[in-house]
Amino acid sequence: MTTAGPIYVLNGPNLNLLGTREPDIYGRDTFDDVVSLCRTSAARFDRSVDVRQSNHEGVLVDWVQEAREHASGLVLNPAAYTHTSVALRDALAMLDVPVVEVHISNVHAREPFRAHSYVSPVATGVIAGLGVTGYALAIDYLCRTAR
Ligand code: CA2
């Protein structure tokens, strides 16, 4: 029997600052709290996560390419690159594993430019507006479905 690969949890620009401002939109949890939440969620299924954050589009593209080889599933909060990045979308389109796009805030209830995502059409599913709980739900889904 082979062991399932880790679930990659990739986060885009500024999410390292989570919990330091705009608590009305993003809540009070810090990025470290998100890392702990992801680990706990996966551990329930005896699975592991690899949680990363970058402010750089090319780094995120590199990690998505790496996920093709090593991950059993991907949780992605592309942050602002959601609304701008064709490069990220193209990298995701080459993935064979399931991808869950997560947004802490409800992007459809905010400025109109946040309603469009380059990522959603190539994602398996999308969670938005449930706070950081969205990460736990995405990991729960991937643990139940992705091997
Ligand atoms: O709601 C989300 O998770 C977003 O992906 C967050 C992005 C935003 O550009 C998207 O439209 C929606 C922004 C991330 C900013 O990160 C923070 C930095 C400091 C405090 C709180 C959040």
Side-chain angles (χ1 to χ4, degrees):
M1 199 179 104
T2 54
T3 312
I7 292 165
Y8 276 29
V9 183
L10 304 182
N11 294 275
N14 298 309
L15 284 165
N16 54 314
L17 299 176
L18 203 59
T20 64
R21 60 182 179 85
E22 299 187 276
D24 44 322
I25 299 175
Y26 297 109
R28 295 194 183 278
D29 288 310
T30 65
F31 186 73
D32 281 350
D33 293 331
V34 171
V35 174
S36 298
L37 175 66
C38 291
R39 288 198 180 130
T40 307
S41 304
R44 285 198 190 99
F45 294 87
D46 243 352
R47 301 283 292 274
S48 65
V49 287
D50 190 335
V51 188
R52 305 180 192 178
Q53 185 277 332
S54 177
N55 293 328
H56 305 279
E57 185 176 14
V59 171
L60 291 162
V61 169
D62 286 344
W63 288 345
V64 170
Q65 289 186 10
E66 185 187 309
R68 288 176 70 200
E69 303 296 321
H70 299 291
S72 58
L74 174 62
V75 177
L76 175 64
N77 184 345
Y81 291 138
T82 308
H83 319 297
T84 63
S85 181
V86 176
L88 210 44
R89 176 198 176 120
D90 286 349
L92 291 164
M94 291 180 233
L95 268 187
D96 291 324
V97 296
V99 179
V100 183
E101 177 185 352
V102 170
H103 298 286
I104 298 166
S105 65
N106 180 354
V107 286
H108 300 286
R110 300 181 62 192
E111 303 95 323
F113 72 84
R114 294 189 201 274
H116 177 261
S117 167
Y118 281 99
V119 168
S120 297
V122 293
T124 310
V126 182
I127 298 172
L130 303 184
V132 298
T133 302
Y135 288 87
L137 296 171
I139 289 167
D140 188 284
Y141 166 78
L142 291 172
C143 287
R144 289 172 194 277
T145 57
R147 285 278 142 203

